[in-house]
Amino acid sequence: MNKLMGFYELADMDIPSVPWKEYTGHEALDSRYLWSVRSAVFRGDDLNLPRKIGISATDAVEFADNLLLKMHDRGIVIYYPYFLAKKSGTLDVHRNRIIIEAVKGDLWNLVTYSDRDVTIQITENEILFDGNKNFLTEAEINNLLSNVSQIRKSFRDDLFEGKSALLEWSYAQKSNLSKQPIGEEYLVFYEVRTVE
């Protein structure tokens, strides 16, 4: 499953996910918010694709328009309201185990800089912590785990084939135009893919 299929899968699952929409060049983005613009290809390498995160509506439209021209008919451009990540990580759901990795702030701290505050491995018989056991609260862990049954249902065939479903998530807050947090913290998933 590539990034594009993951976006569609997230939209179909009953889990909290980014409210992404496809950008076609006819959208008017609200200037009261910051925006994230990303791309996804139909086929081929979909890692490190062009994206801009947390930019003004004017900049988002300009970037999205240019991206549409570059993408042509090889994929789509998506957009969604920017959010501030307080804690982020991955949720790796296997048939018989679950692995949660978490880091302070943005997920890029984990995937780009290899920072990690905690890894939690959960099986039917035990829970193992590697790192700061208190980094995620019990409520945050339970909130992540409350989505596992829906994920397993959506990826049942893949899990039986020995694959796992890898989701990216954040505990996030909405942002004002100065990138200051507003409102309550919430869990959001923004990418999913299957892994061999």
Side-chain angles (χ1 to χ4, degrees):
M1 171 189 298
N2 68 10
K3 191 171 296 204
L4 179 59
M5 294 308 299
F7 284 135
Y8 286 118
E9 193 70 44
L10 272 179
D12 287 342
M13 282 195 291
D14 189 22
I15 64 174
S17 59
V18 290
W20 69 269
K21 293 182 181 175
E22 182 176 356
Y23 184 83
T24 64
H26 304 290
E27 290 73 18
L29 275 58
D30 193 326
S31 62
R32 295 176 297 168
Y33 305 103
L34 295 176
W35 295 92
S36 295
V37 179
R38 298 175 64 183
S39 53
V41 293
F42 296 128
R43 284 177 217 71
D45 183 19
D46 66 350
L47 299 175
N48 302 312
L49 292 172
R51 65 179 176 236
K52 294 264 182 155
I53 308 296
I55 57 175
S56 70
T58 303
D59 291 343
V61 167
E62 181 181 343
F63 179 72
D65 285 340
N66 287 331
L67 200 50
L68 269 181
L69 292 174
K70 288 179 188 171
M71 297 289 289
H72 192 50
D73 58 356
R74 296 181 301 117
I76 67 169
V77 176
I78 69 162
Y79 68 100
Y80 53 86
Y82 171 70
F83 57 83
L84 294 166
K86 299 300 183 182
K87 297 176 185 178
S88 301
T90 57
L91 176 65
D92 194 6
V93 179
H94 298 252
R95 200 168 98 190
N96 297 316
R97 70 183 163 127
I98 300 160
I99 301 168
I100 299 170
E101 286 199 308
V103 67
K104 182 178 180 181
D106 199 281
L107 183 66
W108 289 313
N109 293 326
L110 178 66
V111 297
T112 303
Y113 305 115
S114 298
D115 291 342
R116 179 185 56 85
D117 286 279
V118 68
T119 299
I120 307 168
Q121 249 191 99
I122 303 165
T123 63
E124 188 176 315
N125 300 319
E126 62 183 350
I127 300 176
L128 300 173
F129 289 86
D130 180 22
N132 180 357
K133 185 177 182 176
N134 298 314
F135 180 70
L136 292 175
T137 67
E138 186 176 341
E140 288 170 334
I141 294 169
N142 289 337
N143 194 10
L144 283 164
L145 294 177
S146 71
N147 296 283
V148 168
S149 62
Q150 175 63 45
I151 295 164
R152 283 189 169 142
K153 179 180 173 187
S154 295
F155 293 97
R156 178 179 45 245
D157 294 341
D158 293 304
L159 297 180
F160 277 114
E161 290 175 9
K163 298 176 184 174
S164 70
L166 182 65
L167 292 90
E168 296 178 358
W169 57 267
S170 288
Y171 279 105
Q173 283 181 277
K174 292 181 181 177
S175 167
N176 66 17
L177 292 174
S178 301
K179 294 191 177 179
Q180 299 299 312
I182 53 175
E184 295 295 314
E185 205 170 285
Y186 59 94
L187 173 63
V188 64
F189 291 95
Y190 41 91
E191 195 163 309
V192 60
R193 65 174 58 236
T194 51
V195 178
E196 297 286 336

